[in-house]
Amino acid sequence: MSQPGELRVLGPVEAVGPAGLATLHGTRQRVVLGVLALHAGTVLPIPRLVDVLWGEDPPRTAVKTLHSHVARLRQALDVCGFPAVLVTRGPGYLLTVPPATVDAHRFEQQVRAAAADLAAGAVERAATTLRAAVTLWRGDAFADAALSGWGLREVDRLHELRLSAVEDLWDAELRLGHHEDAVRELPRLLAAAPTRERLTGLHMLALYRCGRHTDALDAFQRLRRRLADEFGVDPGPELLTLHTAILRRDHELEPRAAAAGPSQLPAGVGHFTGRGDELASLDAAIEDGDRPVVVISGAAGMGKTALALHWAHRVAARFPDGQLFLDLRGQDAAEAMPGSRALAHLLRGLDVPEENIPGDPAERAALYRSLLHGRRCLVVVDNARGLDDVLPLIPGTGPALLVITSRQTLAALSTRHAVHPVALDAFAHAESLALLNRVLGSDRVKREPGPAARVARLCGGMPLALRIAAARLVGTPKRPLAELAAELAGAGRLDTLAVEGDSRTVRAVLATAYLPLGDAQARLFRRVALSPGATFTTALGAALCGMTAGDGDRATAGLATAHLVTAAGEDRFRFHDLIREFARQCARADEPASARAETGDRLVDWYLLAAAAANRALDPNRDLVTPVPRYAAPAAAVGADRHAALAFLTAERDNLLPVVRFAREHGRPEAAWQLTYLLTSFYDTAGHWHTRVELCRQGAAAATEIGDPLAEAEMLRALGVAYFMTRRLQEALDTNAAALRTARAAGDVQGEGHIHNNTANAYAELRRFEEAIASHRLAVARNAEAGNDLGHALSQRNLGHTYVRMGRARESLDPLTEALATFRDLGNARLEAATLDTLGEAHLQRGDHAAALAHLGEAIAVSRAIGDRWLEWESLLDAGRAHLGQGDFAVALAHFGQALDLSRDVGDRHGEASALEHLARARLGAGDLAAAREHLERGLALRATVPDGYEQAHLHRDLGELEARLGRPADAARQWATAAALYTQANATAEAREVANRRA
């Protein structure tokens, strides 16, 4: 609230200011304060105040008495910290406080917000809001104030709103599956309002969902008798319908699980029309016990995607474990997505981190089927090109459903799987007119029925053609339909539209939207289509055309209005594949070769400049490359701060690899490797390392093509890091060796230092610690020789970290302390936080918990200040371990809980599994064995999607301890044997020996 303090009427009337509770004398002071608070910011005339104080029989001195009450009330408000808020204004009095200062106003605002959330399906948020709203009530409204006249009606209104809010709350709670809580609480509410039909209905539903079918029917009969006895009426139709459904044990009354999985379905098409038979056919596919593969096929422009998405949204609640969507771009052979890449996209949608997506296509398919097994997921795959593209995407047996759209019938699919085909043809004439009616409005169509019918016929019943024609008419509301009908009937267009299934049909329809475009719109349409990315922003469009940002916004808005591009997020658009193909044909026809080449250069330059700006925000020390563009971008595409840079590159992520490929394939190899370099800081922060591998391969090939050994060494080094992060450790070592040879040949001593550092990290991950130490020392020496202070400090930090991993914490302190001082001198907060964390680990290993916690507290503070959530997660875990070592289980649990929340916020399942393992250890320490088992079992389940043998061994080790405490020695021995085997596989021989020697 902007005004300090609070005015309360939902209970006893109170004013609580910065100086405390106001002293109010008598009920009438409370009435005046309460009604003025209810109307905060509005003048209440004196006659209305007299009415609310005394009703229809006020005393002769009423106005004078009112002034006296107001004077004393002003004094009380001034004393408690509400100075000069009660003022005389015109015919009455005014309380000049923001409405949010008054509890009743906040209550009503929260109730309205919750109602909107309920209507939008945001049930959890609505429930949270309503819980907060009802807690504002401290008793009956105006509990210690005797109102008269219209004031009584205000109190009644507030009480009715309170009851409605409580009903909305329990409606939401039931939707969230909290029927057991409802069964306990609703009888108390019904005792106070026994004739509320909605409350009774909620109580009946809760009882039914708890398996108390007879009790639910009894609750109905009690209300029925009471209504008949007291009012002579029967329950309303809604309650009668619910009663009937309970009698029939209608399955629709069963609770629906809240969606816990992905929800990737794009927005459905506006003004969806027709397709009643096809929708009924799709509904039948759900009821088929052996879930078939649904194939929606038809000619271009027949509305396959529109039908698939409309139906998918309609049945999304039947698939509570998630809805996935993927466009295979099958209409363009050059850009079609093969099954292996499609699987990677779907696995990401199922929360599999990049580094855990298998490289082998068969393994990807197996993981995909495993993740869908038993889950009620809907997978919509759009624009499939052929059978081979969709075979890997078919779920195994179970409740998941795959829906495919394709121009092909995919008939051969039925020789391997159960298929439910849905073939789309053109609209009937009545459906075509219905679509025009919905888009243009019935009044406009009725004014020109003949021309409307001609437009429908000239579009051949093709939904895409109809929508484009209607879009042009919507954009020009005064244009006669007859004029567009005449244009559609022009040279060759009718014949083209009449040829069903031919791509020229789409081309002719799109031409009617393209030809009228202004110069700026047409140029942007052609040039943006030449971009290889999946989406584009208005800033990119402006840059490709040499426009100002404002002109780019307006041109893109015009294309979106004409449905030539589709919104794909905030200020982000995409082409339908057919429209992109058409636009590229327009570019080839209407743009000279030199203009197309210029567009390619502008594209590459825009991404170079954007990546350079983002790199400066994310890691200003990465300064090897300063782009020299051929064309400057018209406006900054990236914000100056770290968070804006990350948001921009995250939105562009799917475009980055295609753009690097484009640069290399279109004569810009130098730009290809420079762009790869400038994106390093993004991938370091955001992950997506499988894509980074291919990006670095392209960069390395480009550097080799231009014969620049320094660039080649840098790209090979980056590729080695990408292999390391995807746990392809031997490939990382091999690539680092090649990078080292190239750097030595080029005399790049600084590069040698970086490569030795990366090699050491790979050895350490393989637990080949002696080789790691040797490489770390070489890295320290080379960076010192090159005068690279940052690289020298980073090598020292990593050397210290490896010592800690080896259990040699004392030896780690000197290099870590020196590294910390350097990072602070250089102002590198991220590496400062990382080093503070490692120092904390070192002190913890040495048993100095106070020093450990001091360093870890600093690490947490710095990581939070720079918004580095991964470092914050790591430091929270380490701080929790320090508290755990001191036996402070409550504080340890708090730290581990925060780490768990962080990992879930960023979708890091590896981090989530590690946090669960730490939570389990704390629960074991506190003796809460049931909670410990729950955490460990959830951790093991997560490890199925993010394998890590060393971390998995910890989980089995802890499960062994749990079984031992429960007096189950055989079970404990099995868990410890599993842990020992996993530790051995991970080269953790000391841990393997320790756990192998345990006895229950």
Side-chain angles (χ1 to χ4, degrees):
M1 295 177 293
S2 58
Q3 167 75 39
E6 184 180 27
L7 301 176
R8 301 170 179 169
V9 299
L10 303 180
V13 177
E14 296 176 345
V16 183
L21 186 67
T23 301
L24 303 177
H25 298 285
T27 183
R28 290 198 172 101
Q29 271 193 38
R30 292 181 173 87
V31 170
V32 173
L33 175 61
V35 296
L36 287 171
L38 276 183
H39 297 80
T42 301
V43 175
L44 271 184
I46 287 175
R48 281 179 60 78
L49 288 169
V50 169
D51 181 56
V52 82
L53 284 168
W54 291 283
E56 296 180 354
D57 189 25
R60 287 181 300 168
T61 59
V63 174
K64 181 178 179 181
T65 304
L66 170 63
H67 293 326
S68 176
H69 287 316
V70 168
R72 288 195 292 272
L73 183 57
R74 280 177 175 147
Q75 183 179 7
L77 290 172
D78 287 347
V79 169
C80 82
F82 280 102
V85 296
L86 179 49
V87 298
T88 303
R89 185 70 53 82
Y93 292 103
L94 167 70
L95 201 58
T96 60
V97 295
T101 308
V102 183
D103 59 358
H105 283 279
R106 294 204 309 282
F107 173 74
E108 293 194 48
Q109 187 277 327
Q110 289 172 342
V111 169
R112 286 193 297 270
D117 284 338
L118 278 175
V123 182
E124 183 65 60
R125 187 167 60 201
T128 300
T129 302
L130 287 166
R131 291 183 199 115
V134 297
T135 61
L136 293 172
W137 285 77
R138 298 165 292 111
D140 290 340
F142 289 85
D144 57 354
L147 289 83
S148 299
W150 60 270
L152 295 172
R153 294 190 294 276
E154 282 287 337
V155 171
D156 290 341
R157 183 186 69 83
L158 288 170
H159 287 161
E160 176 60 29
L161 189 59
R162 179 190 190 182
L163 269 174
S164 296
V166 169
E167 289 169 341
D168 284 345
L169 171 59
W170 285 106
D171 182 4
E173 298 285 13
L174 285 175
R175 294 195 211 181
L176 293 170
H178 302 159
H179 34 272
E180 293 181 356
D181 293 338
V183 164
R184 288 189 292 269
E185 181 63 15
L186 286 172
R188 183 184 67 80
L189 298 172
L190 279 166
T195 59
R196 296 284 292 195
E197 291 194 29
R198 190 180 177 202
L199 269 182
T200 300
L202 293 168
H203 188 215
M204 290 165 61
L205 184 58
L207 288 166
Y208 178 82
R209 288 181 176 177
C210 288
R212 297 167 61 180
H213 176 263
T214 302
D215 291 341
L217 296 174
D218 287 344
F220 174 81
Q221 294 300 336
R222 284 196 301 273
L223 176 67
R224 187 173 197 167
R225 287 192 296 269
R226 183 182 287 271
L227 290 176
D229 292 342
E230 295 184 15
F231 306 106
V233 298
D234 288 325
E238 291 185 9
L239 203 63
L240 289 170
T241 300
L242 175 62
H243 178 250
T244 302
I246 291 173
L247 284 171
R248 294 175 177 174
R249 298 181 186 268
D250 192 332
H251 68 88
E252 289 295 323
L253 297 179
E254 296 300 326
R256 296 181 181 180
S263 184
Q264 296 183 344
L265 295 176
V269 66
H271 305 296
F272 185 87
T273 302
R275 302 302 193 197
D277 292 342
E278 290 83 358
L279 289 168
S281 177
L282 289 167
D283 288 339
I286 296 186
E287 305 305 329
D288 192 331
D290 182 14
R291 284 278 166 90
V293 177
V294 175
V295 178
I296 302 174
S297 62
M302 290 301 170
K304 300 180 292 295
T305 303
L307 173 66
L309 289 176
H310 179 79
W311 180 76
H313 281 290
R314 200 172 77 169
V315 300
R318 302 281 295 272
F319 298 92
D321 295 322
Q323 305 92 43
L324 297 165
F325 179 84
L326 179 63
D327 184 357
L328 293 182
R329 309 176 199 163
Q331 314 311 333
D332 187 337
E335 294 191 0
M337 185 182 297
S340 178
R341 283 178 56 203
L343 281 168
H345 279 264
L346 291 171
L347 288 172
R348 282 193 289 270
L350 291 167
D351 290 337
V352 178
E354 291 281 346
E355 62 268 25
N356 293 309
I357 295 176
D360 180 68
E363 292 179 6
R364 288 185 181 183
L367 178 58
Y368 166 75
R369 290 191 296 271
S370 297
L371 292 174
L372 286 184
H373 181 70
R375 296 176 68 176
R376 291 169 293 172
C377 283
L378 177 62
V379 183
V380 179
V381 174
D382 199 23
N383 289 319
R385 188 161 180 257
L387 184 64
D388 292 340
D389 294 330
V390 299
L391 282 175
L393 311 182
I394 297 174
T397 57
L401 180 67
L402 174 64
V403 177
I404 301 167
T405 73
S406 177
R407 291 186 189 177
Q408 309 299 318
T409 61
L410 303 181
L413 188 61
S414 62
T415 65
R416 311 185 191 198
H417 298 277
V419 174
H420 186 95
V422 178
L424 289 192
D425 204 345
F427 274 165
H429 184 63
E431 289 177 310
S432 297
L433 283 174
L435 180 56
L436 290 176
N437 263 287
R438 295 199 66 185
V439 177
L440 299 175
S442 58
D443 289 343
R444 190 172 181 186
V445 172
K446 285 176 182 176
R447 284 198 300 268
E448 296 183 78
R454 287 197 297 275
V455 168
R457 284 194 297 270
L458 289 167
C459 288
M462 181 181 290
L464 177 61
L466 286 161
R467 287 182 180 279
I468 293 173
R472 295 186 57 222
L473 292 165
V474 167
T476 54
K478 295 184 179 180
R479 184 183 185 189
L481 273 67
E483 187 175 313
L484 178 61
E487 186 178 344
L488 286 172
R493 288 190 178 89
L494 180 60
D495 293 338
T496 303
L497 286 172
V499 180
E500 295 181 0
D502 189 333
S503 61
R504 289 172 298 179
T505 302
V506 175
R507 186 181 306 118
V509 173
L510 290 175
T512 65
Y514 169 70
L515 293 175
L517 293 176
D519 290 344
Q521 290 180 356
R523 186 164 73 255
L524 188 140
F525 178 66
R526 294 190 300 265
R527 293 194 174 191
V528 171
L530 297 175
S531 168
T535 62
F536 70 93
T537 61
T538 56
L540 175 61
L544 298 186
C545 298
M547 298 176 178
T548 65
D551 287 342
D553 287 343
R554 286 184 286 274
T556 306
L559 297 180
T561 299
H563 296 286
L564 290 172
V565 297
T566 302
E570 186 177 355
D571 189 35
R572 187 164 294 276
F573 300 87
R574 67 177 179 88
F575 281 98
H576 185 281
D577 52 356
L578 296 176
I579 300 176
R580 180 192 290 273
E581 180 182 341
F582 171 78
R584 287 177 174 172
Q585 291 171 357
C586 293
R588 289 191 289 271
D590 299 341
E591 299 269 4
S594 59
R596 296 198 300 274
E598 175 189 320
T599 301
D601 284 336
R602 286 182 177 275
L603 170 81
V604 173
D605 288 346
W606 186 84
Y607 273 99
L608 267 176
L609 291 171
N615 178 67
R616 285 193 297 273
L618 295 173
D619 186 1
N621 293 304
R622 188 173 297 280
D623 57 1
L624 179 63
V625 166
T626 302
V628 181
R630 299 177 185 179
Y631 298 94
V638 186
D641 66 274
R642 178 183 180 85
H643 300 292
L646 283 172
F648 168 80
L649 289 175
T650 298
E652 286 286 348
R653 180 167 60 84
D654 288 343
N655 298 335
L656 301 177
L657 178 56
V659 169
V660 169
R661 284 190 180 127
F662 180 94
R664 185 181 166 212
E665 293 166 359
H666 288 77
R668 298 287 300 274
E670 183 175 28
W673 86 258
Q674 289 183 344
L675 185 54
T676 302
Y677 171 86
L678 291 167
L679 292 170
T680 302
S681 51
F682 168 65
Y683 285 96
D684 282 347
T685 302
H688 312 297
W689 287 100
H690 285 278
T691 301
R692 180 64 176 169
V693 167
E694 181 56 29
L695 200 69
C696 292
R697 283 175 176 163
Q698 291 288 329
T704 302
E705 288 168 8
I706 62 175
D708 184 338
L710 288 174
E712 185 178 357
E714 180 62 31
M715 288 294 94
L716 287 170
R717 180 172 75 85
L719 180 58
V721 172
Y723 281 138
F724 172 83
M725 295 303 295
T726 53
R727 296 302 184 261
R728 296 160 68 171
L729 300 176
Q730 189 55 53
E731 288 174 275
L733 289 172
D734 293 343
T735 303
N736 287 337
L740 189 60
R741 289 192 296 271
T742 306
R744 283 173 176 165
D748 182 7
V749 177
Q750 180 171 307
E752 287 184 53
H754 287 307
I755 296 163
H756 281 304
N757 185 57
N758 296 340
T759 301
N761 290 337
Y763 280 134
E765 194 65 26
L766 289 166
R767 305 187 74 78
R768 292 160 60 175
F769 290 125
E770 295 306 324
E771 292 164 285
I773 293 296
S775 293
H776 279 311
R777 287 172 175 161
L778 284 170
V780 171
R782 290 295 185 275
N783 279 302
E785 181 182 345
N788 180 4
D789 292 340
L790 179 65
H792 182 262
L794 179 59
S795 301
Q796 288 180 304
R797 184 264 171 193
N798 290 342
L799 171 62
H801 187 254
T802 298
Y803 277 136
V804 172
R805 293 187 67 180
M806 296 171 71
R808 294 158 60 177
R810 185 176 298 278
E811 294 172 75
S812 74
L813 295 179
D814 287 344
L816 288 172
T817 302
E818 290 182 37
L820 180 63
T822 302
F823 292 140
R824 283 175 168 166
D825 288 343
L826 295 173
N828 192 311
R830 184 174 188 274
L831 292 178
E832 176 190 352
T835 309
L836 285 165
D837 176 75
T838 307
L839 276 165
E841 289 186 86
H843 288 298
L844 180 60
Q845 194 176 100
R846 296 178 63 241
D848 189 345
H849 288 80
L853 288 171
H855 284 87
L856 292 168
E858 284 190 77
I860 292 170
V862 174
S863 60
R864 284 175 174 167
I866 62 174
D868 195 313
R869 307 191 82 187
W870 185 87
L871 279 175
E872 182 185 352
W873 166 84
E874 186 173 41
S875 299
L876 282 167
L877 281 188
D878 291 333
R881 288 196 299 115
H883 288 292
L884 193 61
Q886 293 180 312
D888 194 344
F889 301 120
V891 179
L893 284 168
H895 280 76
F896 296 150
Q898 291 178 58
L900 181 65
D901 291 341
L902 272 175
S903 63
R904 288 173 173 169
D905 286 347
V906 301
D908 179 5
R909 293 208 158 195
H910 167 79
E912 184 179 353
S914 295
L916 286 167
E917 190 271 328
H918 283 78
L919 277 166
R921 285 164 58 190
R923 295 292 185 189
L924 281 170
D928 188 349
L929 303 187
R933 183 181 294 279
E934 181 183 351
H935 292 320
L936 291 169
E937 289 177 349
R938 285 165 58 196
L940 281 175
L942 281 170
R943 281 287 164 221
T945 60
V946 281
D948 185 314
Y950 186 72
E951 293 289 335
Q952 189 174 347
H954 292 340
L955 291 162
H956 286 287
R957 176 201 64 197
D958 296 343
L959 276 168
E961 181 179 344
L962 174 66
E963 300 294 359
R965 291 199 190 183
L966 291 170
R968 299 168 181 167
D971 291 338
R974 278 194 295 271
Q975 294 290 350
W976 286 333
T978 301
L982 288 167
Y983 280 134
T984 300
Q985 292 170 15
N987 291 329
T989 54
E991 291 91 334
R993 283 194 302 271
E994 188 275 331
V995 78
N997 292 328
R998 290 192 178 190
R999 294 289 184 272

